[in-house]
Amino acid sequence: MTEGSETRESPLGVDGLRALEELLASHFELKAHIGMSLADDARIIERLTAEQAWILDSLADNKEMAISGGAGSGKTVLAVEKAVRSAAEGRRTLLTCFNAPLAAYLRTLCEGHDGLVAASFHSLCRTFAKKTGVNMPSEVDQTLFDRALPEALVEAVSRDPSLCFETIIVDEGQDFLDSWLHALRLTIKDPEAGHFYVFYDDNQRLFSPERGFIDALPVSSIALTRNLRNTRRIHALMAKWYEGRRSTPTGPEGEPVGSLVCSNGEAAFSRVSERISQLLSSGQVSPGQIAVLLGTGRSSSEMPDKIAGRPTCRSDDIRPDHIVFDTVRRFKGLSRPCVFLIGLEGLTDPDLIYVATSRANVLLELAGTSEDIARLGHK
């Protein structure tokens, strides 16, 4: 290769050797199929979350308890497990929360368990009021939700004591006003023998400023300080918006948080649709693993029927073969393996950013302007 037999031939030289190396032994990087990576990460997260159930054994002798933890620490899993165990013991049990879509999800988890009622707080109040003939104001305003419905709940159980519960479990308790929690306590059949558990997020940025009722409950000696639901890379982003007790990531490293940079917010939906189409067509994910969440509010009529040619559903009517499309606020308390955030310009409140960035289990991608993506803490 250095000497030629003909006068026209010459040594390859540095450039020639580089070209030959590129032709015969070029460098390449073999990356794992993202679908395989997501599946492996999901299995690890599922195993870690299931391990939390031992905590309930440690708290079995406590009739009242406030259990705190950040997003992804397994609060909802423990709340459901506690409710199922209580119902299995023959106790009439209520599992409740504030958010209607989360309540719909809890109902699917609790199907088939006799004596177990899963409902959002205000829908429970309405149902009991209707059953017992309690008059409700016709005007729908904030007073209806803050006062009238909780008062109707108390009146309903006083008229029909058979509606009372022996165990009440509240998930996402930080969303509740103190007066709502007091109303729930009054639905306990026997205060001496009743059980009352509140699972809540201890992030000091979040929603309801009232904490008197929760602070008065005995505090669990076992804090939920491990993040089990998110990969470490997703946790690193959401942790920037968390001000509660330090959360330790225990999940897999995971895929990097993605950025789909657009010239404006309006182009974000198109970029996300293209990205989802790519993932679906290559078989890396399925529609039921995906949620597209809006940082801005949007009416039902504006929700697209399809994304990347696949049907969509709202978060209170999740279907296994549909892509979830909803607002961040309505999706609170829920999660999906793959989450795409759009409408980033509407994510200005720290509490909402915390919720938004913690909804994805294994794949999170932000679509918006470079300024909005950077503002959310992603570089």
Side-chain angles (χ1 to χ4, degrees):
M1 301 298 290
T2 60
E3 295 182 2
S5 59
E6 299 182 18
T7 57
R8 65 182 180 180
E9 293 180 351
S10 61
L12 289 176
V14 175
D15 291 339
L17 288 173
R18 186 179 296 116
L20 183 64
E21 180 184 9
E22 182 68 23
L23 180 65
L24 300 178
S26 60
H27 173 77
F28 69 96
E29 183 179 0
L30 180 63
K31 291 187 176 181
H33 191 279
I34 192 173
M36 298 293 291
S37 176
L38 296 182
D40 290 342
D41 291 348
R43 280 192 291 269
I44 294 172
I45 289 171
E46 183 178 0
R47 175 180 58 79
L48 289 171
T49 303
E51 291 175 355
Q52 287 284 78
W54 69 269
I55 293 177
L56 294 179
D57 297 328
S58 303
L59 305 176
D61 295 332
N62 298 282
K63 294 180 179 179
E64 292 193 342
M65 189 63 56
I67 303 172
S68 67
S73 59
K75 298 187 302 298
T76 296
V77 172
L78 287 178
V80 171
E81 179 67 18
K82 176 65 177 176
V84 169
R85 291 186 183 188
S86 175
E89 294 170 357
R91 303 173 64 86
R92 178 167 161 80
T93 302
L94 170 67
L95 175 59
T96 188
C97 61
F98 169 73
N99 198 19
L102 175 58
Y105 172 66
L106 294 178
R107 279 195 296 273
T108 64
L109 297 179
C110 297
E111 287 179 356
H113 295 282
D114 294 335
L116 175 51
V117 176
S120 68
F121 173 68
H122 289 108
S123 68
L124 178 78
C125 297
R126 287 184 185 277
T127 299
F128 279 22
K130 185 176 181 180
K131 279 185 177 181
T132 56
V134 176
N135 292 325
M136 296 296 302
S138 57
E139 186 176 354
V140 178
D141 56 15
Q142 196 60 42
T143 303
L144 173 70
F145 296 99
D146 289 352
R147 292 179 51 190
L149 282 170
E151 290 172 358
L153 175 66
V154 177
E155 176 64 21
V157 295
S158 67
R159 293 187 183 189
D160 185 359
S162 69
L163 296 175
C164 288
F165 299 98
E166 294 165 284
T167 298
I168 291 179
I169 298 155
V170 179
D171 191 23
E172 300 288 336
Q174 74 280 352
D175 296 341
F176 281 65
L177 298 178
D178 282 353
S179 58
W180 302 354
L181 293 170
H182 282 294
L184 281 172
R185 176 175 266 167
L186 292 175
T187 67
I188 292 285
K189 182 178 180 180
D190 180 358
E192 295 298 321
H195 291 185
F196 200 102
Y197 273 53
V198 178
F199 293 83
Y200 70 100
D201 195 318
D202 60 354
N203 184 4
Q204 297 170 15
R205 297 181 189 270
L206 282 175
F207 304 106
S208 175
E210 297 187 1
R211 281 277 300 272
F213 187 99
I214 292 177
D215 287 344
L217 290 174
V219 178
S220 169
S221 58
I222 303 175
L224 305 181
T225 58
R226 297 194 305 161
N227 177 279
L228 311 171
R229 186 178 68 203
N230 314 101
T231 63
R232 293 173 185 261
R233 282 172 162 158
I234 293 173
H235 179 272
L237 178 59
M238 58 174 273
K240 297 177 181 180
W241 303 97
Y242 182 72
E243 288 189 350
R245 185 185 286 110
R246 181 181 177 183
S247 175
T248 303
T250 57
E253 185 69 18
E255 296 289 322
V257 175
S259 297
L260 302 174
V261 179
C262 311
S263 58
N264 55 64
E266 293 298 320
F269 180 77
S270 296
R271 287 295 308 277
V272 165
S273 296
E274 293 172 3
R275 173 65 170 144
I276 292 175
S277 179
Q278 174 195 13
L279 292 172
L280 291 175
S281 61
S282 59
Q284 300 187 71
V285 299
S286 63
Q289 294 177 304
I290 301 171
V292 179
L293 303 182
L294 283 156
T296 54
R298 184 176 290 193
S299 65
S300 300
S301 61
E302 296 178 290
M303 295 290 181
D305 294 329
K306 291 185 176 181
I307 295 177
R310 303 302 178 95
T312 61
C313 62
R314 300 267 280 178
S315 54
D316 52 358
D317 185 28
I318 293 177
R319 305 177 191 182
D321 57 346
H322 286 49
I323 296 173
V324 175
F325 190 95
D326 216 325
T327 63
V328 170
R329 192 172 292 277
R330 278 177 49 83
F331 202 69
K332 184 178 181 294
L334 300 171
S335 67
R336 271 292 175 270
C338 308
V339 171
F340 297 86
L341 294 179
I342 61 177
L344 304 186
E345 65 276 9
L347 292 175
T348 56
D349 292 338
D351 58 338
L352 208 56
I353 298 174
Y354 168 66
V355 172
T357 54
S358 60
R359 298 306 97 195
N361 302 132
V362 291
L363 181 68
L364 174 63
E365 299 197 359
L366 316 180
T369 65
S370 57
E371 293 79 12
D372 280 330
I373 292 174
R375 179 173 52 81
L376 266 60
H378 183 46
K379 298 181 181 179

